[in-house]
Amino acid sequence: MIKWNKFFLLIVILALVVGLLYPTSSYVRDNANLGLDLAGGVYVLLEAEDVDDEVDEDDAVERAMTVIRSRVDELGVSEPVLQREGRNRIRIELAGEDLDRDEAMEVIGRTAQLKFFGPEILDDPDFDADVIREVEEEEQTEVISQEVLDRHEPLLTGDDLADASASYDPQGRPFVGIEFTSEGRDKFAEATTQYVNQPILMVLDNEVISAPNVNEPITGGNASIENVGDISEASNIALMLRTGALPVTLNELETRTVGPTLGAELLDNSVVAASIGLGLVLLFMVAFYRLPGIMSCFALGLYLIILFMVLIGIGATFTLPGIAGLVLSIGMAVDANVIIFERIKEELRDKKTLRTSVDSGFKKALSTILDSNVTTLIGASILFYFGTGPVRGFAVTLTIGILASMFTAIIFSKFILKTLVQTRMVKNTKYFGV
């Protein structure tokens, strides 16, 4: 006699899984963070120049990474990848199809060392006096040699700044407004008192960007940097001053722009490849294992729901290696079902009942599944510990996929198969592939 309550319970559970698939796919499509290889963006590899013996290079590179991370955060780039490679290299991946490569490099790589010098520097024998005229009259920046700068003590540096912002003056020209710290305010007040009717040079990365004459002492703790080009340039300078100067000079070794078209093409190809692979696997399971194969399709659906929701929940970034880990974990999930169904078929061939065969099949397959998945988890843990960037993403996706597949294969598949047998609608073992 058919047990209709078990049958309806089974239908409700299966319908629930199917019903969750569409909203889950929509949610994933709208909220997934795509990596550089899928969304397009900018890849940058920087190398720190050799530093003086008295400077700790390891510490300088770490501080440079902190400054760059602050600058990248202010760019508004989602899920940036910033990692150290080797002794003195920094790898940066900025995903975003609208990202401007030149602007990103200007913000990331500029040293942004701001210094104020008194008029004594004009008396240096190697200083070109025309620099002041060209800066003030022709409204352009002029480079000054490092040797000249090294011979003079700056009045203030970027460390004396509390804040910086870009704005327009009454004539509509962009400028950078700066606010000093309390200590910087005292220094600036002392300098402007000392040098009334004399120029003070503002030097940013060896470029004299302004050399105004001091008309009267300035004690309010504010100043402005003029002659900065357009408002975008002013905003970038303000950003760099807010986030601090790089403690070491970084040389650009490699820069690549991944176009949005290429990223979209890779994403489409990945989705097509994953869909074809998944379809073939499901077809095989149904053709070879019949009813258990159909049940495994629902288990696989639940597996995908769990996997994607967890990945989005932890803020994971989807990359091509991550998708490879996802596809591999799907194979692991199917592999667990194959082991279980083969054990069930062996029990059925020994003339045991369906109910006993299902119970015994899951029990005998458990140790094999655990051994297989635990060894893979160990491998994924090693990849995560020693790997960087995409390799770590692959390890995370694989680990979550394995855990989800163990749940759906051992718990969910067992429950729906036992419920199916308990309905007493299936009695012929040929529906179990025997």
Side-chain angles (χ1 to χ4, degrees):
M1 182 178 179
I2 296 175
K3 287 190 173 182
W4 290 105
N5 58 335
K6 294 291 183 183
F7 174 74
F8 287 121
L9 175 62
L10 181 64
I11 294 299
V12 168
I13 293 173
L14 300 184
L16 191 60
V17 173
V18 174
L20 286 173
L21 279 174
Y22 179 75
T24 301
S25 64
S26 299
Y27 183 78
V28 171
R29 191 167 50 248
D30 296 337
N31 295 278
N33 295 318
L34 301 181
L36 176 67
D37 49 3
L38 296 178
V42 178
Y43 170 92
V44 182
L45 182 62
L46 303 173
E47 184 177 68
E49 276 189 359
D50 292 336
V51 297
D52 297 335
D53 294 339
E54 59 267 20
V55 177
D56 185 342
E57 184 183 58
D58 184 68
D59 179 65
V61 174
E62 285 296 327
R63 286 189 288 124
M65 289 185 64
T66 302
V67 173
I68 293 174
R69 184 173 284 109
S70 300
R71 295 180 180 181
V72 169
D73 288 343
E74 294 221 16
L75 277 176
V77 178
S78 64
E79 299 298 324
V81 175
L82 182 68
Q83 291 185 328
R84 185 171 180 173
E85 290 191 346
R87 179 177 57 85
N88 60 349
R89 291 185 177 182
I90 299 174
R91 178 170 60 86
I92 305 164
E93 294 182 4
L94 307 176
E97 59 183 70
D98 298 327
L99 195 64
D100 184 273
R101 172 185 176 278
D102 295 332
E103 181 182 355
M105 282 308 304
E106 171 73 9
V107 173
I108 292 171
R110 193 164 181 174
T111 307
Q113 291 181 337
L114 178 66
K115 296 178 181 177
F116 290 64
F117 289 92
E120 297 88 354
I121 197 171
L122 303 178
D123 299 327
D124 190 289
D126 294 327
F127 187 86
D128 184 0
D130 288 338
V131 165
I132 300 300
R133 181 187 59 77
E134 290 166 355
V135 169
E136 292 303 303
E137 297 180 4
E138 301 180 18
E139 296 187 349
Q140 62 183 22
T141 60
E142 290 295 329
V143 177
I144 189 170
S145 71
Q146 186 63 43
E147 290 74 17
V148 172
L149 295 179
D150 289 342
R151 286 198 288 266
H152 299 272
E153 189 69 24
L155 303 172
L156 297 97
T157 68
D159 294 336
D160 296 310
L161 265 61
D163 194 13
S165 61
S167 187
Y168 291 98
D169 64 13
Q171 287 73 40
R173 294 173 300 190
F175 72 95
V176 178
I178 54 180
E179 179 183 343
F180 295 109
T181 62
S182 56
E183 186 178 354
R185 181 186 57 202
D186 294 340
K187 289 181 181 177
F188 194 62
E190 181 181 349
T192 53
T193 301
Q194 180 181 354
Y195 298 119
V196 172
N197 295 324
Q198 298 181 75
I200 287 182
L201 280 68
M202 298 182 186
V203 181
L204 181 66
D205 289 347
N206 292 46
E207 289 185 357
V208 181
I209 55 178
S210 185
N213 258 342
V214 179
N215 297 322
E216 58 184 15
I218 303 174
T219 59
N222 295 288
S224 62
I225 302 174
E226 301 172 346
N227 192 23
V228 291
D230 56 19
I231 190 65
S232 177
E233 175 69 9
S235 298
N236 286 341
I237 292 175
L239 187 159
M240 288 181 284
L241 294 178
R242 286 198 303 272
T243 53
L246 289 176
V248 63
T249 302
L250 298 171
N251 295 321
E252 181 181 339
L253 290 186
E254 181 183 358
T255 304
R256 284 187 281 116
T257 301
V258 180
T261 304
L262 180 59
E265 185 178 339
L266 289 172
L267 179 60
D268 291 341
N269 290 341
S270 302
V271 171
V272 170
S275 300
I276 292 175
L278 185 61
L280 291 175
V281 167
L282 295 180
L283 190 63
F284 168 80
M285 294 298 290
V286 173
F288 207 74
Y289 295 105
R290 314 291 170 79
L291 275 176
I294 294 175
M295 294 298 110
S296 71
C297 295
F298 291 96
L300 209 53
L302 180 62
Y303 158 80
L304 292 174
I305 292 172
I306 295 173
L307 176 63
F308 280 113
M309 294 307 290
V310 171
L311 287 174
I312 289 182
I314 63 174
T317 299
F318 290 79
T319 61
L320 281 177
I323 291 178
L326 190 152
V327 174
L328 182 58
S329 68
I330 291 176
M332 298 288 292
V334 174
D335 182 58
N337 281 315
V338 169
I339 294 172
I340 293 168
F341 298 158
E342 284 298 328
R343 292 286 187 272
I344 293 176
K345 286 169 72 173
E346 289 175 2
E347 298 298 313
L348 290 173
R349 291 191 186 101
D350 289 340
K351 307 301 180 186
K352 294 180 181 177
T353 65
L354 274 175
R355 188 168 185 170
T356 304
S357 297
V358 169
D359 284 335
S360 182
F362 273 95
K363 187 176 180 180
K364 291 183 177 179
L366 182 60
S367 61
T368 306
I369 294 172
L370 288 177
D371 289 346
S372 170
N373 285 285
V374 168
T375 52
T376 308
L377 281 174
I378 293 173
S381 301
I382 294 172
L383 284 177
F384 182 82
Y385 184 79
F386 290 103
T388 59
V391 177
R392 276 194 162 190
F394 172 83
V396 169
T397 306
L398 183 60
T399 300
I400 296 173
I402 290 172
L403 295 176
S405 72
M406 289 176 67
F407 170 77
T408 55
I410 297 173
I411 306 296
F412 184 74
S413 292
K414 182 179 181 180
F415 178 76
I416 58 176
L417 263 184
K418 287 184 69 173
T419 305
L420 174 65
V421 173
Q422 288 168 355
T423 61
R424 297 180 180 175
M425 298 181 73
V426 182
K427 297 180 180 178
N428 195 326
T429 57
K430 71 179 181 180
Y431 294 115
F432 278 70
V434 178

